[in-house]
C-alpha cells in the first residue's frame, strides 16, 4: 500500500478520540501542529480549472495538483507568489503551466486556514512506519469560522505496507470510511460564492436547427454582450492584457454578426448599431497594439544581435509610457456618455421582443439554413480571393483575405453546435492555419510601419542614443525579412486550405441542396 | 538525477556521517533523495533505524530493477528514502567480478532510479576494488573525505594512482577535510600544505566533534537532531557548496 488514503471526519470524530484508539495498538508520536493560510489561484477565465488543475499556496510553497487528486504534480518555494508566467523561476512548474495560463494573470480566488496535526506511527525501533495527518480547513482563523473540510490522511511509509494496511483496517473498525468525495477546492470556491468555469470568452451557444434566425441571432448577441460587460468592468483594474483582448473580440464578433444580419432586422437599426460598434471598436485599438508590443518584448529582443539587446530598452520604456497614456484614454472613453448610451441602447435592443424588431426577409428562416448559406457564401469568397492571390500576391489582397477568413471563422464558431463537432473542429483547425499565416503577415507589416513611425516620434532624450536607433533599425530589418518569408509561405498554406478534401468537407457541411457544386 | 558517492579507500574518515547528513539536506530542499547504503557494516541503515536487510540480498541488488525497488524503505523524513545495506554486501566485490562488463554494472543498477529520484547518494565501503571502479565510473561526483593525517593523504594518493592505472576520470573526484581537529598542529599544517596541491578540493571542513558521534545514540542525522550545532552548520555549508558548484552543472 503506497497511496495516501483519506478519511472524512464527522464532527464527533475528533483527533484525540481517534489517536487514543490507535495508541492502544501502536506507538504514536504527536508532532507540532502545522497551520497556515491556504490560498487558491486561477486566471480570470478559469484556465486551470478547465484543465482540472488546482494551484494553491501553503506555507510559502506554490503547489499544483490535479482536481480530485491529492498527488502533487509540481511545487516550488514561492514568496511572493508570481502573478504572470514570466515571473516564475525556471523549472518544472513553469514549464507545466506556461501553455495553460499563457499571458494571463493568476488571481487569488479564496483564502482559507488549514490546521494539521501530524502523528507518526512508530515501530519498536522508534522508526516511523506510517504518518497520520488530521487536517481541518476553515474559512478563517477568527471566532466561529465555517469548517470547509475535516479529514484524516493516512500516509504509508515506503517499505512498510503491511502496517499501513493494519492501520487502515483499524480506522475502518472504529467507524471511519475512506472516501473520494468532492474536492475541498470546489467546496471552498462555492463557499466564496464563486462559480468555477463560469466565465469563458469561448462561444458556448445552444442553438437548435429549427430556431428562427432572428431568435438565434439575439442569443448570439446576448452572449457576446455578457462577455463585453464582464470584461468591460475589469478593464479599469488592468488585471491582464487579455481582459481587453476578450472585450475587443466580443465587440468584433458583434460587429461581424451585424453585417450578415441585414436581411433579418431592419436596415435602419443595423446601420445605427454598425456605426456605434465601429466607434466602440476603435476606442481600444491603440491600447491593444501597445499591449502586444510590450508582451512581445522578449521575442523582439531575441531577434536582435546580443550587442544590441539592451539598446532596445528605451523603445520599450517609451512604449510603456505611451501605454499608460492610452490606458487612461480608454478608461475615459468607457466612462463617456457616448459609450454608455451606445451600450444602453444595445442592451435595450437585445431585450425587446424580437418579432417587433425583425422585419427582414430572413427573420423567420430556420437558423440552420441561414448558417449554411452564410458560411458557404463566406467560404466561397475566401476561395475566390485566395485564388486571385495565387496569381498575383499583393499585400492589399492578403489583408482582404485576412478579414474574410476572420468573418468565416466567426460564422463557423457562432453556429458550430448545429454541425458535427469533429468535422467543425477539423475545419476550424485548417482555417486557423491559414489565419495564423495571414495574421502573422499583417502583424509584421503593421509592426514595421509602427516602428518606423515610433522612431520619429520618440522624444530626443530617449532616442538620443544612436545605438537605440540602430537597434530599432535592426529590428525593422529582421521583421521585414520575416514578413517576406511568411508571404512566401502563402501558396503552400492556401493550397492546403483549398485542397479538394477540405472543399468537399465545406460543401458537405454547408452547401444547400439546391446549390450548384462549387469547384 | 544527480548521483553522488561518498567514497574513500580508508575506513573511519566520516563517509557515512557525511552521506547521512547530505542526504537529509538534499531531501530538505524538496529533492526526492535516495541514500544507498553499500557498506556491509550498515551504519547509515542503523542511523535511519532501518533493518539491514535486502529482499533478495546481493543477488537481487545486482539484478537491479524491481527487486531493488522492493527493498527501499522510507525514512522518518519527507522525500528521503533508503536502500538498506545487507550483510551479504561483504561479498559484493566478488559478485561484481563474476559479472560481464563488471566495471560498469552499477550504472545499470542505478538507471531505473532516474524516474523516481532527483538525487542518489551512495555510501560506499572502504575498499579499492571492482566496486570502487563501478562507483567512480558511474557517479556524477565522488566525494572523498580526508582526515588531515599522513595516512589519509597517502591512501588518497593511492586512489589517484589506481584511477590512472584503470583509466578512470579523476575530474569528478572531489575532496573535503573531515574530522578536523583545529587544536592539532599536525592537522593545521597538513591542511595548509596539502590543500594547495589537491585538485577539486572543496573548501568546507567537517570538524571533529562528539555531537557527530552522538548520531549513533540519537539514530538521526546531526542536522536533524541539532540543526544549530557547529557540525550541522559545517554539513550545511558543504551541501550548499555542492549544490552551487558541482550539482548545478549537468
Amino acid at each position: 500500500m503506497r497511496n495516501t488514503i483519506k478519511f472524512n471526519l464527522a464532527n464527533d470524530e475528533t483527533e484525540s478520540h481517534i489517536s487514543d484508539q490507535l495508541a492502544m495498538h501502536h506507538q504514536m508520536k504527536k508532532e507540532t501542529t502545522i497551520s497556515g493560510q491556504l490560498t487558491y489561484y486561477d486566471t480570470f477565465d478559469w484556465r486551470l480549472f478547465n484543465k482540472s488543475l488546482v494551484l494553491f499556496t501553503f506555507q510559502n510553497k506554490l503547489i499544483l495538483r490535479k482536481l480530485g487528486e491529492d498527488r502533487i504534480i509540481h511545487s516550488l518555494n514561492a514568496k511572493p507568489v508570481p502573478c504572470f508566467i514570466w515571473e516564475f523561476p525556471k523549472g518544472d512548474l513553469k514549464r507545466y503551466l506556461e501553455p495553460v495560463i499563457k499571458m494571463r494573470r493568476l488571481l487569488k480566488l479564496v483564502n482559507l486556514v488549514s490546521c494539521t496535526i501530524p502523528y507518526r506511527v512508530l515501530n519498536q525501533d522508534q522508526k516511523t512506519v506510517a504518518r497520520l495527518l488530521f487536517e481541518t480547513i476553515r474559512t478563517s482563523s477568527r471566532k466561529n469560522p465555517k469548517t470547509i473540510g475535516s479529514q484524516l490522511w493516512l500516509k504509508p511509509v515506503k517499505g512498510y505496507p503491511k502496517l499501513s494496511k493494519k492501520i487502515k483496517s483499524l480506522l475502518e473498525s472504529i467507524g471511519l470510511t475512506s472516501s473520494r468525495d468532492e474536492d475541498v477546492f470546489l467546496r471552498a470556491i462555492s463557499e466564496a460564492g464563486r462559480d468555477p468555469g463560469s466565465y469563458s470568452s469561448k462561444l458556448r451557444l445552444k442553438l437548435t436547427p429549427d430556431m428562427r434566425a432572428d431568435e438565434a441571432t439575439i442569443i448570439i448577441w446576448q452572449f457576446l454582450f455578457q462577455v463585453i460587460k464582464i470584461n468591460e468592468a475589469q478593464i479599469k483594474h488592468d488585471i491582464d492584457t487579455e481582459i481587453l483582448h476578450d472585450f475587443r473580440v466580443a465587440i468584433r464578433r458583434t460587429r461581424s454578426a451585424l453585417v450578415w444580419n441585414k436581411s433579418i432586422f431592419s436596415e435602419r437599426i443595423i446601420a445605427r448599431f454598425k456605426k456605434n460598434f465601429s466607434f466602440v471598436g476603435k476606442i481600444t485599438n491603440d491600447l491593444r497594439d501597445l499591449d502586444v508590443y510590450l508582451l512581445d518584448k522578449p521575442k523582439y529582443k531575441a531577434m536582435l544581435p546580443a550587442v544590441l539587446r539592451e539598446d532596445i530598452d528605451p523603445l520599450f520604456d517609451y512604449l510603456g509610457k505611451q501605454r499608460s497614456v492610452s490606458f487612461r484614454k480608454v478608461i475615459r472613453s468607457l466612462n463617456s456618455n457616448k459609450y454608455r448610451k451606445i451600450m444602453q441602447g444595445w442592451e435595450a435592443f437585445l431585450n425587446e421582443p424580437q418579432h417587433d424588431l425583425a422585419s427582414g426577409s430572413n427573420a423567420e428562416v430556420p437558423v440552420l439554413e441561414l448558417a449554411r448559406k452564410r458560411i458557404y457564401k463566406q467560404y466561397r469568397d475566401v476561395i475566390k480571393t485566395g485564388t486571385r492571390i495565387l496569381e498575383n500576391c499583393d499585400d492589399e489582397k492578403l489583408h482582404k483575405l485576412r478579414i474574410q477568413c476572420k468573418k468565416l471563422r466567426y460564422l463557423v464558431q457562432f453556429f458550430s453546435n448545429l454541425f458535427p463537432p469533429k468535422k467543425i473542429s477539423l475545419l476550424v483547425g485548417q482555417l486557423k492555419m491559414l489565419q495564423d499565416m495571414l495574421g502573422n503577415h499583417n502583424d509584421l507589416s503593421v509592426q514595421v510601419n509602427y516602428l518606423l513611425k515610433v522612431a520619429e516620434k520618440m522624444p530626443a532624450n530617449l532616442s538620443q542614443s544612436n545605438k537605440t536607433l540602430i537597434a530599432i533599425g535592426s529590428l525593422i530589418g529582421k521583421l521585414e525579412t520575416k514578413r517576406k518569408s511568411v508571404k512566401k509561405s502563402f501558396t503552400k498554406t492556401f493550397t492546403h486550405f483549398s485542397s479538394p478534401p477540405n472543399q468537399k468537407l465545406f460543401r458537405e457541411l454547408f452547401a444547400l441542396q439546391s446549390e450548384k457544386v462549387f469547384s | 538525477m544527480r548521483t553522488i558517492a561518498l567514497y574513500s579507500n580508508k575506513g573511519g574518515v566520516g563517509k557515512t556521517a557525511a552521506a547521512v547528513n547530505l542526504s537529509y539536506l538534499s531531501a530538505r530542499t524538496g529533492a526526492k533523495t535516495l541514500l544507498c547504503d553499500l557498506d556491509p557494516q550498515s551504519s547509515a541503515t542503523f542511523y535511519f533505524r532501518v533493518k539491514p536487510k535486502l529482499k533478495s540480498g546481493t543477488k537481487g541488488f545486482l539484478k537491479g530493477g524491481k527487486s531493488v525497488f522492493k527493498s527501499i524503505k522510507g525514512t522518518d523524513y519527507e522525500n528521503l528514502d533508503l536502500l538498506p545495506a545487507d550483510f551479504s554486501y561483504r561479498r559484493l566485490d566478488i559478485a561484481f567480478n563474476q559479472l560481464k562488463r563488471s566495471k560498469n554494472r552499477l550504472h545499470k543498477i542505478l538507471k531505473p532510479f532516474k524516474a523516481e529520484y532527483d538525487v542518489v547518494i551512495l555510501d560506499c565501503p572502504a575498499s579499492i576494488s571492482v566496486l570502487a571502479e563501478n562507483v567512480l565510473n558511474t557517479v556524477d561526483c565522488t566525494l572523498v573525505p580526508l582526515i588531515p593525517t599522513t595516512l589519509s593523504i597517502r591512501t588518497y594518493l593511492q586512489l589517484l594512482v589506481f584511477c590512472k592505472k584503470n583509466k578512470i576520470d579523476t575530474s569528478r573526484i572531489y575532496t573535503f577535510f573531515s574530522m578536523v581537529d583545529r587544536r592539532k598542529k599536525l592537522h593545521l599544517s597538513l591542511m595548509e600544505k596539502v590543500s594547495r596541491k589537491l585538485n577539486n578540493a572543496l573548501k568546507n571542513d567537517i570538524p571533529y566533534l562528539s555531537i557527530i558521534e552522538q548520531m549513533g545514540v540519537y539514530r538521526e542525522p546531526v542536522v536533524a537532531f541539532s540543526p544549530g550545532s557547529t557540525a550541522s552548520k559545517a554539513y550545511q555549508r558543504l551541501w550548499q557548496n555542492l549544490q552551487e558548484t558541482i550539482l548545478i552543472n549537468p
Side-chain angles (χ1 to χ4, degrees), chain A residues 7 66 108 290 347 480 486:
Chain A
F7 297 89
K66 274 264 175 201
K108 216 179 261 185
L290 288 160
E347 190 173 11
E480 184 58 16
V486 171

Side-chain angles (χ1 to χ4, degrees), chain A residues 11-65:
Chain A
N11 290 340
D12 55 337
E13 290 160 344
T14 59
E15 162 253 329
S16 55
H17 168 71
I18 296 166
S19 62
D20 286 349
Q21 295 269 331
L22 288 173
M24 287 157 70
H25 305 269
H26 298 280
Q27 197 178 341
M28 307 272 291
K29 193 178 175 196
K30 191 175 180 177
E31 308 253 280
T32 322
T33 303
I34 308 160
S35 58
Q37 207 170 51
L38 184 69
T39 309
Y40 291 100
Y41 294 84
D42 206 335
T43 62
F44 184 68
D45 55 352
W46 302 93
R47 288 183 183 205
L48 296 172
F49 174 78
N50 289 336
K51 293 269 178 202
S52 297
L53 294 170
V54 178
L55 185 72
F56 63 101
T57 50
F58 184 64
Q59 293 200 320
N60 297 338
K61 270 202 153 190
L62 185 62
I63 304 162
L64 182 73
R65 66 168 170 87

Side-chain angles (χ1 to χ4, degrees), chain A residues 170-312:
Chain A
L170 206 57
L171 290 169
E172 283 166 349
S173 74
I174 58 172
L176 301 187
T177 47
S178 55
S179 71
R180 285 195 146 270
D181 64 340
E182 193 187 25
D183 195 300
V184 72
F185 163 77
L186 294 176
R187 267 185 275 157
I189 289 294
S190 143
E191 190 59 38
R194 307 288 296 265
D195 182 9
S198 54
Y199 170 77
S200 167
S201 64
K202 282 185 184 151
L203 290 156
R204 291 186 292 195
L205 303 165
K206 282 190 179 149
L207 307 178
T208 53
D210 51 356
M211 196 178 256
R212 279 169 57 126
D214 55 351
E215 200 185 330
T217 311
I218 292 288
I219 290 174
I220 294 169
W221 275 330
Q222 276 171 339
F223 177 86
L224 292 170
F225 187 64
Q226 286 307 314
V227 177
I228 292 170
K229 293 307 280 180
I230 289 169
N231 286 290
E232 179 201 292
Q234 297 299 325
I235 290 174
K236 62 173 180 280
H237 300 305
D238 210 8
I239 296 168
D240 67 40
T241 55
E242 301 318 284
I243 300 269
L244 182 77
H245 180 60
D246 283 1
F247 173 81
R248 282 169 57 78
V249 172
I251 298 281
R252 273 209 302 267
R253 281 174 168 162
T254 305
R255 283 177 71 192
S256 178
L258 279 164
V259 174
W260 52 259
N261 273 310
K262 275 186 253 175
S263 55
I264 297 176
F265 298 94
S266 99
E267 275 191 39
R268 190 181 50 82
I269 291 172
I270 294 293
R272 178 185 142 206
F273 285 119
K274 262 174 79 178
K275 196 177 150 202
N276 286 348
F277 276 101
S278 163
F279 163 78
V280 173
K282 280 175 193 158
I283 291 175
T284 54
N285 280 352
D286 286 347
L287 182 57
R288 177 62 190 168
D289 284 348
L290 288 160
D291 276 345
V292 173
Y293 288 118
L294 291 165
L295 276 175
D296 285 346
K297 182 179 171 182
K299 204 173 83 186
Y300 288 130
K301 282 188 114 173
M303 279 184 190
L304 289 170
V307 284
L308 287 174
R309 268 176 212 158
E310 302 306 311
D311 298 306
I312 200 80

Side-chain angles (χ1 to χ4, degrees), chain B residues 119-132:
Chain B
V119 177
V120 173
I121 297 181
L122 308 178
D123 182 26
C124 306
S127 76
I128 190 153
S129 58
V130 71
L131 173 64

Side-chain angles (χ1 to χ4, degrees), chain A residues 2 61 77 120 122-128 131 155 157-160, chain B residues 29-30 48-51 72-78 81 116-117 219:
Chain A
R2 285 186 63 179
K61 270 202 153 190
N77 291 321
R120 290 198 284 150
L122 308 173
N123 65 7
Q124 66 273 27
D125 290 327
Q126 305 291 302
K127 157 93 180 71
T128 311
R131 288 188 177 87
K155 291 178 99 179
V157 168
K158 198 183 276 179
Y160 303 91
Chain B
T29 63
F48 285 113
R49 300 164 192 266
V50 176
K51 286 194 177 75
I72 292 176
K73 301 277 181 190
T75 66
D76 283 11
Y77 313 101
E78 291 278 352
D81 289 348
E116 192 108 350
Y117 296 99
R219 297 183 76 178

